[in-house]
Amino acid sequence: MISARGGLLLGVVVLLLGIITLGLSLGILNGAENGVWIVVGLIAAGGFGLGYLENRARGWLLIAAYVFAALSVAFGVWSAFGSGVALTTIILIAIALPFLAIYIASKGKAWQALFIAAIVLMTAQVALTRQLVPDAGQSALLLGTSFLSLLALIFVILWLPNRHDPHFAWAAYPPHVLIVLAGFFGLAGLGAPQLAIPALLLYVGGVL
């Protein structure tokens, strides 16, 4: 059964959707269709989200809210940039975030979810870097930087909730190596490889 508060929220959402569709039907909102559908998606996401807050036992409402919010953001990116690569990147990020949330909610126990999120985010990195950096050589170097940086971040996320567990002590070391390598690739990609050694010494000094 829907509570009085839930019924009121649902009614408001339906009324807003009715007003928007009426405006579209009468031509009042002509020329603003893209923005309208983004708003519709956000209203639907808000309605499902409020429904979930009303009764947290209905997990499907949270999933529906997330899907509509992600679709609204993706449609907004598509409308703003008209880029399939940007749209693909947003969709991949939207896929990765729930797995990252599962890992965080499990307090570091569901490490499989963390690596699934990492794989999806790395795929998004490849698409976005190639779009933003057309030069093949520079793109490869900067892609290496972003890839190694993300991998370092994954190890940090893996280590933090388990830092007091001796079995995970090893996870504290790979991020340093990966960050150093990412720095080398990044400086080379930016055309400043001569700064690699000073940067390495500064990093090591800061860590020590």
Side-chain angles (χ1 to χ4, degrees), residues 37-56:
W37 288 117
I38 293 171
V39 172
V40 168
L42 292 175
I43 290 174
F48 283 115
L50 291 172
Y52 170 75
L53 293 177
E54 178 72 14
N55 185 353
R56 294 177 184 254

Side-chain angles (χ1 to χ4, degrees), residues 156-171:
V156 171
I157 296 173
L158 177 66
W159 172 75
L160 276 177
N162 302 291
R163 58 187 179 278
H164 301 301
D165 186 344
H167 294 96
F168 284 88
W170 61 271

Side-chain angles (χ1 to χ4, degrees), residues 24-103:
L24 289 171
S25 299
L26 296 177
I28 298 173
L29 298 176
N30 283 348
E33 289 87 351
N34 290 345
V36 166
W37 288 117
I38 293 171
V39 172
V40 168
L42 292 175
I43 290 174
F48 283 115
L50 291 172
Y52 170 75
L53 293 177
E54 178 72 14
N55 185 353
R56 294 177 184 254
R58 298 176 178 176
W60 66 270
L61 290 173
L62 181 61
I63 297 173
Y66 180 78
V67 169
F68 275 104
L71 288 174
S72 295
V73 172
F75 193 74
V77 169
W78 174 261
S79 300
F81 301 103
S83 169
V85 173
L87 178 62
T88 301
T89 302
I90 292 297
I91 292 174
L92 288 172
I93 292 173
I95 292 171
L97 287 178
F99 288 102
L100 191 58
I102 290 171
Y103 173 77

